[in-house]
Every structure is written in structure tokens, then in C-alpha cells.
Amino acid sequence: MRNIILCGFMGCGKSTVGRALAGMTGRQLIDTDAFIEEQAGMTVSAIFDRFGEADFRRREREACETLAGAQDLVIAAGGGALTFAENVRTLSATGDIVLLEVSAETVLRRLAGDTTRPLLQRADKETAVRELMAARASGIPTIERADL
């Protein structure tokens, strides 16, 4: 069976929906960020701090390539993974992509107090969320979009 790839902004529910979907379909859930952390032996935040975002995106691209080679997975892709056309092509070759969308207010509520998201480690998280959401929305490669 083809993989199911869940994508969307951080805090949109990819992991939560992924667990439910994996349970309903008997598939294994793989979170790309957790996969990268396991491979690297360090957290995403540590990768950003030590090596920078470009290195993390390289690792993310490699994770997409590896996971696309498997079958019967529910893949919870990192928040920015599918803003790169290469990752969209790689994952869509063996899976169906589902975009989960939520409002900035929902993201802010869900991530209040979260210190694990490197791109939100700013004094004004609301501005960071809104700016990043706008940038990503305009940069998402053409994929079928559905409000869930």
C-alpha cells in the first residue's frame, strides 16, 4: 500500500492525526523529526544550534528519501519538509500527501510554552508564527490542498 504523508505547520496535529490514522489502518507511524533525531543522536533543537538550519534540511531531505523507500507507513512530515519541491516529489512517488491546516491562533494556543521548536525561539512567538505561516503558504509546491 502507498504511504500516507501528513504535512502542515508545526502544531497542526500531524502526530496526533498520524497516531489515530496508523491505529485505524494498521500502519506504522513515523515522525520525520523523531527519525532524524534517532539517526543524529541529538534533538532537532541541538542540530539547529550546532549545525544550523541548512544541515537540518539536508538531514530532512535524506529522511524523506529513506522513508519514501518504505511501504505502508503514515509519515508525519516536519513542518517545513514539504515546502521543498524535492521532498514533495520524493514522498509523493510512493505516497499520498494530506495537508493539515489550522489557524495561527490554534498554533499559538497549542504551542504555548513549547521550547522545542527552534524557529519559534523568539520573544514574539505570535509574529514568528504569522510570518512563517505566510512565507510557507506562499512557498508550498503545488499539491492538493484540503481543509481538515
Side-chain angles (χ1 to χ4, degrees):
M1 279 192 290
R2 289 177 60 81
N3 295 321
I4 300 170
I5 299 98
L6 302 176
C7 68
F9 197 78
M10 61 184 99
C12 74
K14 296 179 297 286
S15 296
T16 301
V17 171
R19 278 191 295 277
L21 192 54
M24 291 186 313
T25 63
R27 298 168 190 245
Q28 180 183 0
L29 171 64
I30 303 287
D31 180 289
T32 59
D33 286 350
F35 183 84
I36 292 165
E37 288 178 340
E38 185 178 316
Q39 297 293 310
M42 64 180 77
T43 66
V44 169
S45 293
I47 294 168
F48 266 76
D49 289 344
R50 188 166 178 192
F51 302 108
E53 184 175 359
D55 182 77
F56 173 76
R57 297 299 175 196
R58 176 191 57 78
R59 293 170 192 259
E60 187 174 60
R61 185 178 60 254
E62 291 170 358
C64 289
E65 291 169 1
T66 299
L67 295 173
Q71 294 181 29
D72 301 329
L73 298 177
V74 173
I75 301 170
L82 276 84
T83 62
F84 297 92
E86 180 179 358
N87 292 339
V88 171
R89 281 191 303 275
T90 298
L91 290 170
S92 64
T94 60
D96 299 308
I97 298 173
V98 178
L99 176 62
L100 305 179
E101 292 184 298
V102 296
S103 68
E105 292 76 21
T106 298
V107 170
L108 289 163
R109 182 175 34 81
R110 289 179 180 175
L111 299 183
D114 184 293
T115 59
T116 65
R117 318 283 176 146
L119 296 177
L120 292 187
Q121 299 315 302
R122 296 176 23 183
D124 188 356
K125 284 188 182 185
E126 181 174 355
T127 299
V129 166
R130 291 186 189 285
E131 288 174 354
L132 197 50
M133 285 181 94
R136 288 187 177 173
S138 65
I140 293 177
T142 304
I143 56 176
E144 238 177 87
R145 296 173 60 103
D147 287 279
L148 300 175

